[in-house]
Amino acid sequence: MVYFHLQTFLPPWLRLPTGQNLHHLVYGIILGFSLTLTATSIRARIDEAQQRKKERRTGNKLEFDERPIELRSDEVVKGVSGLIGNTPLVRVNSLSDALGIEILGKAEFLNPGGSVKDRVALRIIDDAERQGLLYPNTNSRIFEGTVGSTGISLATIAKARGYHATIVLPDDVAAEKVQALTALGAETERVRPASIIDQKQYVNLARQRALHFTHYHSKTTDDDESDHLLPSTSDDVVVATTISVSQTDSEPSSIDELVTQPRGFFADQFENRSNFEAHFAGTGPEIWKQTNGRVDAFVSGAGTGGTLAGIGRFLKSMDDKVAVVLADPQGSGLYNKVKHDVMFDTREKEGTRRRHQVDTVVEGIGINRITKNIELALPIIDDAFKVSDEEAVSMSRYLVEHDGLFLGSSSACNLVAVVKLAKKKQWANSQIVVTVLCDSGTRHYSKFWNEEYLEKAGIDRSLRAVEALLAS
């Protein structure tokens, strides 16, 4: 009653509403108050998230949230092929902190075959099966010439798919690579290192073995090998079968017989475009996603050229400002090809070489010819750095000492080039540089990680080379 009595003494514009209008006013006040609290809470959460992000960037260092080890049902994969790819990016703490940038390594040594070449081997075999060039469990055989890692990857997947593998490799590669191939059931043929123009060079011999698959498999003396070659999508892909293609016709029985017959398949990682596609469609997109599209530079060595071309071209397609940089070991001619358009290295001069191929203790990268995969890489390479054996060895020891990372020779070579790039560009403001950690040190006990071998080769094993680079 008092409320209504007071209302009579107030002017109309100050009088409070009554009845249903009063209810609407109360509801409006409550709703407005609730919306204010909600907006304040959202703003606080945004501010908190931004503050956390800002706090992580302290002293030009980017911190990452730790993720507990856990098993999730959606991560159960089918067979060894499902384990290939989707490798993490690992921050190389010592070098990142020393330089003030973010150095992220694609941990390819975590693939089941132990190297980045698992991706290439899987793509080559998958593509061959899609094209009808290979059929699983038909007693077919895959041939390849390699310094080891691609052979191990091919042998791994071959076993899982019901193929045999014959790997031809130089006789001076690390012994543990041959041991791994043997353990995987592959036939190995070790030959003297030679130039690619020599028909006895390991890649050429692998191709010949595939061409002669008819004789190899059935021990026949049929000289008309052309009748046993199947048409393929590329001149570089060799597929031979034990049945003469000219003998088959369009009858279903003849086609079935051709499909089920054993075949010899030359993988040819150097020229096969599947090598490039494995990285353009796989590794590159993974890196882009893992970095949230923030990459300032990508650094990699090149042996076949597939990794550098595939990842480099994908990253450039997403952001043409990404610098693609070559890491080239001593003895390889690619550095001079990029810098001066001349395929030559001073260590290749007659009478100065320790080996018959690229003169370096680094295995897996470096070459003195242009492959089709390297042709895809050359137009997008922005810079190149030469890496000496001493620098690569020093980097590998530095990483063990400061990061506990036990890496192979090509990984160490890549990281030396990363340091040289950062120094050249004077980067020190959290720029993100991605490289590839191709394999672990377990592939290199007998050479790159063998102190006696390095001492005989006159290669310094101390940390001085890397310490000097960081201090420069």
Side-chain angles (χ1 to χ4, degrees):
M1 293 294 293
V2 175
Y3 167 76
F4 292 108
H5 181 70
L6 289 174
Q7 289 274 65
T8 60
F9 293 98
L10 296 174
W13 58 273
L14 277 178
R15 292 176 186 175
L16 296 175
T18 59
Q20 189 174 7
N21 290 336
L22 178 61
H23 292 162
H24 290 165
L25 175 64
V26 172
Y27 292 150
I29 292 172
I30 294 173
L31 180 61
F33 184 69
S34 299
L35 289 174
T36 301
L37 286 178
T38 302
T40 303
S41 175
I42 293 173
R43 180 70 255 178
R45 287 177 177 273
I46 293 174
D47 291 342
E48 182 182 355
Q50 290 177 340
Q51 182 64 24
R52 283 200 306 267
K53 185 176 180 180
K54 183 178 180 180
E55 289 174 353
R56 287 173 184 169
R57 288 189 176 274
T58 56
N60 290 328
K61 181 173 69 174
L62 182 66
E63 296 178 3
F64 298 91
D65 290 330
E66 292 186 2
R67 170 186 163 185
I69 297 174
E70 56 186 16
L71 178 65
R72 297 192 290 272
S73 60
D74 61 349
E75 290 186 351
V76 176
V77 298
K78 186 177 180 180
V80 70
S81 296
L83 295 171
I84 297 172
N86 293 308
T87 54
L89 279 177
V90 56
R91 183 180 190 268
V92 183
N93 289 330
S94 64
L95 299 179
S96 298
D97 294 342
L99 295 170
I101 65 175
E102 296 304 312
I103 300 174
L104 308 179
K106 193 78 164 119
E108 292 299 291
F109 55 85
L110 296 178
N111 282 306
S115 80
V116 66
K117 293 299 186 179
D118 280 12
R119 296 176 182 267
V120 177
L122 179 62
R123 183 61 186 247
I124 287 175
I125 293 175
D126 278 348
D127 285 351
E129 290 179 349
R130 277 192 291 266
Q131 296 164 16
L133 301 177
L134 278 176
Y135 291 89
N137 302 305
T138 54
N139 209 24
S140 295
R141 182 172 294 273
I142 298 171
F143 296 84
E144 181 60 312
T146 169
V147 294
S149 290
T150 304
I152 292 170
S153 299
L154 284 169
T156 299
I157 301 167
K159 277 296 182 185
R161 299 283 179 91
Y163 301 113
H164 304 292
T166 294
I167 307 300
V168 186
L169 64 170
D171 61 11
D172 63 347
V173 301
E176 46 272 24
K177 294 182 179 181
V178 181
Q179 292 167 352
L181 286 166
T182 302
L184 287 165
E187 288 188 4
T188 60
E189 183 178 352
R190 303 176 70 181
V191 300
R192 178 183 63 83
S195 167
I196 190 66
I197 63 174
D198 190 332
Q199 289 303 306
K200 294 184 178 179
Q201 194 261 4
Y202 63 96
V203 175
N204 294 332
L205 281 175
R207 182 183 180 90
Q208 291 173 33
R209 299 294 181 264
L211 284 168
H212 289 77
F213 177 70
T214 301
H215 306 328
Y216 180 93
H217 180 82
S218 59
K219 310 301 181 185
T220 66
T221 57
D222 184 1
D223 292 329
D224 192 2
E225 296 168 0
S226 60
D227 280 349
H228 298 274
L229 295 180
L230 297 176
S232 64
T233 56
S234 170
D235 293 337
D236 301 303
V237 177
V238 174
V239 188
T241 182
T242 54
I243 185 173
S244 175
V245 180
S246 61
Q247 293 173 356
T248 63
D249 51 36
S250 59
E251 292 298 323
S253 59
S254 300
I255 296 174
D256 290 343
E257 184 180 8
L258 179 61
V259 166
T260 57
Q261 287 297 309
R263 299 180 178 188
F265 176 78
F266 176 45
D268 198 10
Q269 58 168 329
F270 288 91
E271 311 296 339
N272 196 327
R273 191 181 173 93
S274 297
N275 185 343
F276 164 85
E277 296 292 349
H279 298 293
F280 186 84
T283 327
E286 288 175 26
I287 290 172
W288 189 253
K289 180 180 179 180
Q290 289 168 320
T291 59
N292 293 316
R294 294 177 57 229
V295 181
D296 293 291
F298 171 66
V299 179
S300 175
T304 64
T307 303
L308 186 63
I311 298 175
R313 279 188 175 269
F314 177 83
L315 295 178
K316 287 275 194 185
S317 73
M318 303 304 291
D319 181 359
D320 60 6
K321 295 184 179 65
V322 175
V324 175
V325 180
L326 169 71
D328 208 33
Q330 68 179 50
S332 173
L334 287 178
Y335 170 84
N336 282 329
K337 180 63 178 176
V338 172
K339 289 291 192 177
H340 312 295
D341 200 27
V342 177
M343 195 73 168
F344 177 73
D345 186 88
T346 55
R347 286 183 176 268
E348 298 299 297
K349 290 188 297 185
E350 186 175 355
T352 65
R353 304 171 68 189
R354 296 178 306 209
R355 304 174 70 224
H356 289 280
Q357 49 187 26
V358 177
D359 191 10
T360 177
V361 71
V362 175
E363 291 186 355
I365 58 175
I367 195 170
N368 283 305
R369 72 179 192 275
I370 301 297
T371 68
K372 289 186 177 179
N373 283 299
I374 288 175
E375 285 179 346
L376 291 169
L378 286 174
I380 62 162
I381 299 175
D382 298 297
D383 206 347
F385 293 93
K386 179 67 72 176
V387 178
S388 70
D389 281 352
E390 286 76 12
E391 289 171 330
V393 169
S394 179
M395 178 60 78
S396 67
R397 274 62 178 176
Y398 185 93
L399 293 168
V400 165
E401 182 68 23
H402 295 280
D403 298 274
L405 286 171
F406 182 47
L407 301 175
S409 56
S410 55
S411 303
C413 186
N414 287 344
L415 286 165
V416 171
V418 169
V419 174
K420 291 186 176 184
L421 173 68
K423 289 294 183 178
K424 178 179 179 179
K425 288 186 170 289
Q426 298 183 326
W427 281 350
N429 191 29
S430 298
Q431 288 86 356
I432 296 177
V433 182
V434 177
T435 191
V436 181
L437 307 182
C438 311
D439 62 7
S440 76
T442 57
R443 291 271 173 90
H444 304 267
Y445 284 127
S446 60
K447 292 183 67 177
F448 189 75
W449 278 100
N450 186 311
E451 299 300 307
E452 183 179 351
Y453 176 89
L454 296 176
E455 184 175 3
K456 288 181 179 179
I459 299 173
D460 183 17
R461 288 96 64 205
S462 72
L463 309 186
R464 286 192 293 269
V466 172
E467 291 171 344
L469 276 176
L470 293 173
S472 63

